[in-house]
Amino acid sequence: MSVSDSPVKGPDVSLYPYSPGEDAPLPKDGDRTARIVDDEEAQNLSRGLQERHTQMIAIAGAIGTGLFLGLGSSLQTGGPLGALLGYALVGLVVCAIQIALGEVSALMPVTGSFVRHVEILVDPALGFAIGWNVVYGCFMSVPSEIAAAVVLIQYWTDLNAAIWVTILIVISAVVALLFIRVYGELEFGFAILKILLIIGIILMGLVIDLGGVSGTPRLGFHYWKDPGPMVEYIASGSWGRFLGFWAVMTNAVYSFSGVESLTMAAAEMQNPRQNIPRACKRVFVRVTVFYFIAVLIVGMLVPSNDPRLGNESGTASQSPFVIAAADAGIKVVPSIINAVVLSSAWSSSNQSILAGTRTLYGLALKGHAPKLFLRTTKNGVPYMCALLQIAVSCLAYLTCSNGAYTVFNWLLDLTSAGVLFSWGTIALNHIRLIQAFKAQGVSPRELPWHNTWSIYSSFFALFMCVLILFTGGFTVFTTGNWSASSFISSYLDIPLVLVFYLGWKFFKKTKTVSLYEVPIQQALHEAREDVENVPVKKSKWSRLNILWG
């Protein structure tokens, strides 16, 4: 391998072109701007997340209110079969996204994950646009989740909402500013609670369905026959049933959102090049199985035409599992589900803080945000990023005013398409990486983790993300269903990202990164030189551990 005599700058400026099959020049020692994993994050951030934290963080992020409370809406819209097919299709997209994220992140385990990857592999301007879109979405999600938590708490008490908002903001601030290991342990505990609840309600659902509760008949697949497996939505006939199935997509995407946050704090993980692929593989299987069984059971327990499915209280009373338990005379279930959903809301808030602060830190590393946000505590926490996030969290006090809360929800809805932008970016990054390997004559097998078929699954995921992004708000274009607020929440994020992208491109005169300029050799060099990059030792316990082993 030949090493250039002159230093080569990293992805913000072009590497010197070379012919396919020729090794890319490596930078001189000490040229920190050429490194993929920046010295700033390598030295100032603390690797406090272990393998079990990594895997359970992703599970905690993907299992939340969308599963516990949102299945009822999907069942009402698509019917038991329509909901099952909708979640299965989005589950395939999530599988492709997880594989793509794992392959790229194992090679480049950087803070900010796919936001940093896109500027290395596609265009710095796109990294700026997607990065600030993620930051905005995460920053707005924290007060939203706090507001949701307050609604859940008021299921038990009528105490002034401002008191609970204050308590939750203070607790979130403490977690955000403490050592990353504290966050990891909290999410580990939340994930265990969620998994135990899912297993419990699935078993409860099976007992109810099979007539195991005294005084309740055996249901079987009765509701698949009456009122039927699919629901006519907006239109009639087969077209109406298809629209019902397609309308489930948005709910399914929301339910799975959070899996992309797995690698946001990659620079704070122990042995990320080994643990990230392991987490991506295991998390997808566990989450998909949980969702698939849960959707199937719900369709067997509650008819799609049950009016209670339209309840939008935001508490456990709108859960189809609670509806089924109430019909079976099981009274303790609502409080249990409400308590775990409350932990889910707080968990989602913590994850948004982690993703938002680490993305902002990554933007500051590349000059896309003020250097002020690079300041860290002695424990390696980017405290300036956390303080800004905490300040924005005070928007949760708007819940105390109905009019202000409406405005707040409108602002939050602007980022409803953000998860599809994130997933599409992950797929695009992977496609570009594999194409760069081929253009430079390097075998993709050199990657720390690679699957030969993953390039095709990434194209499928990218296509589906774009399709759902543009058709997710289709109902507003049907006769009699026009809603300005629904149109804005579904589509305004698209021009916002375009404005960010074109504005930064014009201001900084950035260029699309050529496939020959992607710093593959530098990334492979760092992977080979990483002293942590060794296979994870398996214990006898890990073989029995079905959650994170």
Side-chain angles (χ1 to χ4, degrees):
M1 181 181 297
S2 60
V3 181
S4 173
D5 292 330
S6 58
V8 181
K9 300 299 180 183
D12 285 337
V13 292
S14 297
L15 291 169
Y16 301 121
Y18 50 95
S19 302
E22 181 184 349
D23 284 347
L26 291 176
K28 284 184 177 180
D29 292 338
D31 184 9
R32 63 180 296 275
T33 60
R35 291 183 58 82
I36 305 298
V37 181
D38 198 284
D39 288 343
E40 186 85 37
E41 59 188 321
Q43 296 171 6
N44 293 339
L45 298 180
S46 176
R47 292 189 182 274
L49 296 178
Q50 299 175 356
E51 178 189 6
R52 63 186 178 90
H53 298 135
T54 303
Q55 297 197 29
M56 299 301 273
I57 284 172
I59 291 177
I63 299 175
T65 55
L67 175 62
F68 298 123
L69 304 183
L71 286 186
S73 174
S74 297
L75 178 62
Q76 188 178 46
T77 302
L81 179 58
L84 192 64
L85 292 176
Y87 274 84
L89 181 56
V90 175
L92 289 176
V93 175
V94 171
C95 174
I97 294 300
Q98 285 287 83
I99 299 299
L101 181 64
E103 291 193 11
V104 181
S105 296
L107 178 65
M108 296 181 282
V110 294
T111 302
S113 185
F114 58 90
V115 174
R116 295 269 298 283
H117 297 155
V118 74
E119 76 169 61
I120 296 172
L121 299 168
V122 186
D123 190 331
L126 188 56
F128 174 85
I130 297 297
W132 278 106
N133 193 56
V134 170
V135 169
Y136 171 70
C138 290
F139 275 39
M140 293 301 297
S141 291
V142 175
S144 171
E145 295 294 348
I146 290 175
V150 171
V151 173
L152 291 164
I153 292 172
Q154 290 178 332
Y155 180 79
W156 297 297
T157 177
D158 293 328
L159 199 63
N160 192 303
I163 296 175
W164 298 115
V165 170
T166 302
I167 293 173
L168 291 171
I169 288 178
V170 170
I171 296 175
S172 298
V174 171
V175 173
L177 293 171
L178 286 178
F179 183 45
I180 186 69
R181 178 69 176 268
V182 175
Y183 165 81
E185 295 295 351
L186 280 172
E187 289 302 298
F188 182 83
F190 287 145
I192 294 292
L193 284 176
K194 294 176 185 180
I195 291 170
L196 290 176
L197 177 62
I198 290 174
I199 294 174
I201 59 179
I202 287 175
L203 291 176
M204 179 197 71
L206 284 173
V207 171
I208 294 174
D209 184 73
L210 296 175
V213 178
S214 178
T216 60
R218 184 180 185 278
L219 295 173
F221 283 88
H222 172 74
Y223 295 133
W224 283 59
K225 300 176 182 178
D226 181 23
M230 302 188 78
V231 173
E232 294 180 350
Y233 182 66
I234 296 179
S236 58
S238 57
W239 178 240
R241 288 188 288 272
F242 172 79
L243 290 181
F245 150 73
W246 197 255
V248 172
M249 292 297 182
T250 302
N251 281 343
V253 169
Y254 171 74
S255 296
F256 279 108
S257 64
V259 294
E260 72 279 0
S261 65
L262 167 64
T263 60
M264 280 297 185
E268 295 166 85
M269 295 178 184
Q270 296 177 7
N271 196 358
R273 290 186 168 90
Q274 296 289 330
N275 284 329
I276 287 175
R278 287 165 60 84
C280 288
K281 288 186 292 184
R282 287 162 173 75
V283 166
F284 162 72
V285 173
R286 289 153 177 73
V287 169
T288 303
V289 168
F290 284 141
Y291 268 97
F292 188 84
I293 296 176
V295 175
L296 179 64
I297 294 295
V298 161
M300 297 163 63
L301 293 177
V302 183
S304 58
N305 59 0
D306 192 315
R308 291 172 294 178
L309 293 174
N311 180 5
E312 297 182 355
S313 65
T315 64
S317 60
Q318 75 180 79
S319 170
F321 292 105
V322 170
I323 293 173
D327 290 343
I330 305 175
K331 298 180 180 180
V332 71
V333 171
S335 289
I336 294 176
I337 292 182
N338 203 68
V340 176
V341 174
L342 175 60
S343 75
S344 296
W346 189 36
S347 171
S348 297
S349 173
N350 287 339
Q351 277 215 321
S352 293
I353 290 176
L354 181 76
T357 55
R358 272 48 179 187
T359 302
L360 181 56
Y361 181 88
L363 289 171
L365 275 176
K366 308 310 295 182
H368 293 168
K371 296 295 182 184
L372 172 72
F373 295 112
L374 291 177
R375 296 181 182 179
T376 59
T377 65
K378 293 181 180 179
N379 291 328
V381 176
Y383 69 91
M384 291 304 298
C385 298
L387 289 175
L388 178 61
Q389 179 95 312
I390 293 164
V392 175
S393 300
C394 292
L395 287 173
Y397 285 107
L398 293 176
T399 58
C400 302
S401 168
N402 292 332
Y405 190 42
T406 301
V407 176
F408 168 61
N409 279 330
W410 184 78
L411 291 172
L412 179 67
D413 286 344
L414 297 184
T415 62
S416 59
V419 63
L420 289 169
F421 270 109
S422 296
W423 288 3
T425 300
I426 292 169
L428 178 61
N429 287 340
H430 181 251
I431 292 170
R432 290 279 298 179
L433 180 66
I434 300 303
Q435 289 178 338
F437 265 82
K438 292 181 179 180
Q440 297 181 24
V442 182
S443 172
R445 294 181 181 178
E446 295 291 324
L447 285 165
W449 183 52
H450 178 60
N451 302 274
T452 55
W453 47 264
S454 59
I455 181 67
Y456 306 107
S457 62
S458 289
F459 272 112
F460 161 74
L462 180 59
F463 171 77
M464 288 302 301
C465 286
V466 173
L467 183 61
I468 297 173
L469 179 64
F470 281 98
T471 62
F474 74 89
T475 55
V476 301
F477 300 112
T478 58
T479 304
N481 291 307
W482 169 256
S483 167
S485 59
S486 296
F487 175 80
I488 290 173
S489 65
S490 298
Y491 295 111
L492 190 59
D493 207 39
I494 298 174
L496 284 178
V497 171
L498 286 175
V499 168
F500 278 137
Y501 171 67
L502 295 175
W504 191 256
K505 196 171 186 65
F506 174 79
F507 181 68
K508 289 291 186 177
K509 303 294 189 294
T510 65
K511 295 181 179 179
T512 301
V513 179
S514 168
L515 293 176
Y516 298 104
E517 298 172 349
V518 175
I520 287 176
Q521 293 295 342
Q522 173 62 30
L524 291 173
H525 172 71
E526 291 184 24
R528 288 190 292 265
E529 294 298 315
D530 185 358
V531 294
E532 284 193 347
N533 187 17
V534 293
V536 179
K537 293 183 180 180
K538 296 182 180 179
S539 64
K540 293 181 180 179
W541 157 248
S542 67
R543 299 178 186 277
L544 298 174
N545 181 3
I546 63 172
L547 294 180
W548 66 87

